[in-house]
Amino acid sequence: MKLHQLVRPEIYKGGKRPSFSAAYARAARRYGFETGRNAGFAKRNNVVVKVKSKHNKDTEHEVPAESIQNAHAHLVASLEYVVPVKIGTPGVTLNLDFDTGSSDLWVWSSELSRASRQSKGHTIYDPTKSSTAKKASGTWNISYGDGSSASGNVYTDTVTVADVVIPGQAIELAEKLSSSFLQDGGNDGLLGLAWPQINTVQPEPVATPVENMINKKLINPPVFTVKLGRGEEAGFYSFGFIDTSVTPNPITYTPVDNSQGFWQVQSTSWTLNGETKERSGNTTILDTGTTLLLVADDVVDAIYGAIEGATFDDQQGGYKYPTNATLPEVSFAVGDTLYKVNPQDIAFGDAGDGYTFGGIQSRGDLDFDIFGDVFLKSVYVVFNQSEKTVGLAQRDD
């Protein structure tokens, strides 16, 4: 059975979360949005900025990469979950972020300077210690809007994810990491689960682990699935296996538009306390690498307008509400099916003075939603790369 348990890094033991402002700023950097009515963060001149207030969209200050890192929201994934992956022969086990919003498999490696390798006790991959490692052509470079970056060269080696053994998998070895990465102790790299065309290896992109699993017929059915947990229960990924014990509710499949490299689907309606509201032509990206649930301003206004005492926090850049407030029932469509967001996930974290930050916030000026972990914790998701579909089932837990 190809179940792969998720693990919480030490910083998230006891159900801790990333800070609200760090999670929101990271989403702005990832998708590069401008503020709109309700987003407290934006990407301007290739840097992430905090805006002054809901009614004054001037830049208050830039958000440096270090502050986002130190607040435990990683540049490329939420860091609430990491997964042990074995690389090489006899092999070393690295804790990697699994990210449905990117397509690189990159790792901390022996190519880094000695000082970098020793940073925060990371496990590193050393190809000279693996009998199956081979140098490959190509280089990679992932850069972010704040000037932070990761880059290096490429090897192939045997990668084991759950009990799926992938021979000859391309692995991107970090030679250089900017300082913001070096201050982060949560993971040893990243395994991208988006579509292959957004892989960054030059001159030719390399096959992702899931692409290789399918092409080499290592999994059947050709799917991976995810159940994100809460608190101490971290959840799992699976490869080539659909766990029907997660929920008694049916899995409903919908077509994916992968033209941008993401798991993008139709989401043309939502409900607030049982009242259905249409959103003609709207789409969303299912992204485990984003913590929040980001939607259009009119949706955000309607949700917080239905919570007594909810207010926009100019200092933190998003909506909050009284911790003892009654939350409305909110659901969002994927394809033709509506999925309810668990109220305990709408409550993102403590905002002080008896308030709680909302996990649903503005997508800024984007023309699509981002369904991050706040949404994904309410569903079991089956990603089918061969058939270009995604299946969701409502969870009752």
Side-chain angles (χ1 to χ4, degrees), residues 64-229:
E66 284 76 6
S67 72
I68 296 182
Q69 293 300 81
N70 295 344
H72 307 314
H74 193 273
L75 284 167
V76 279
S78 75
L79 268 196
E80 279 200 72
Y81 312 93
V82 291
V83 187
V85 174
K86 183 179 151 192
I87 302 178
T89 308
V92 60
T93 297
L94 280 68
N95 285 328
L96 303 182
D97 282 335
F98 274 31
D99 180 11
T100 61
S102 67
S103 299
D104 289 86
L105 167 55
W106 72 263
V107 298
W108 287 66
S109 80
S110 55
E111 312 275 293
L112 289 161
S113 70
R114 179 171 296 179
S116 298
R117 291 204 304 271
Q118 293 171 342
S119 172
K120 293 278 188 176
H122 286 274
T123 301
I124 64 164
Y125 166 67
D126 183 348
T128 67
K129 293 183 176 173
S130 171
S131 62
T132 44
K134 292 179 182 170
K135 183 84 169 69
S137 61
T139 59
W140 63 282
N141 188 333
I142 304 173
S143 57
Y144 299 92
D146 53 20
S148 62
S149 63
S151 62
N153 55 26
V154 183
Y155 276 75
T156 62
D157 206 340
T158 300
V159 172
T160 304
V161 182
D163 62 352
V164 184
V165 180
I166 314 167
Q169 172 63 48
I171 302 155
E172 299 161 44
L173 276 63
E175 286 180 294
K176 293 180 182 175
L177 292 173
S178 58
S179 61
S180 54
F181 278 101
L182 302 180
Q183 294 175 17
D184 166 49
N187 67 23
D188 305 315
L190 179 140
L191 191 151
L193 295 163
W195 295 80
Q197 64 260 40
I198 57 173
N199 176 271
T200 70
V201 172
Q202 298 289 338
E204 291 290 325
V206 296
T208 65
V210 170
E211 189 180 11
N212 276 329
M213 288 181 193
I214 294 168
N215 291 344
K216 297 181 180 191
K217 297 184 167 48
L218 303 176
I219 56 172
N220 185 30
V223 303
F224 67 92
T225 82
V226 62
K227 177 195 175 190
L228 296 183

Side-chain angles (χ1 to χ4, degrees), residues 4 29 50 67 111 150 181 183 203 205 246 298 310 334-335 361 389:
H4 211 33
R29 176 169 48 205
K50 163 75 174 57
S67 72
E111 312 275 293
F181 278 101
Q183 294 175 17
V246 170
D298 58 341
V334 170
Q361 297 289 341
T389 60

Side-chain angles (χ1 to χ4, degrees), residues 320-338:
K320 63 184 181 181
Y321 58 85
T323 302
N324 61 1
T326 300
L327 297 183
E329 188 170 298
V330 178
S331 60
F332 293 97
V334 170
D336 297 325
T337 306
L338 287 157

Side-chain angles (χ1 to χ4, degrees), residues 2-48:
K2 302 173 181 67
L3 283 187
H4 211 33
Q5 296 300 319
L6 289 158
V7 177
R8 285 195 183 278
E10 285 301 316
I11 54 174
Y12 290 132
K13 291 295 162 67
K16 291 181 184 173
R17 309 284 299 274
S19 84
F20 173 79
S21 56
Y24 207 172
R26 202 208 51 76
R29 176 169 48 205
R30 187 178 180 90
Y31 288 102
F33 53 75
E34 184 47 69
T35 172
R37 271 205 312 276
N38 296 319
F41 295 86
K43 190 171 178 182
R44 294 175 178 167
N45 298 322
N46 223 20
V47 293
V48 176

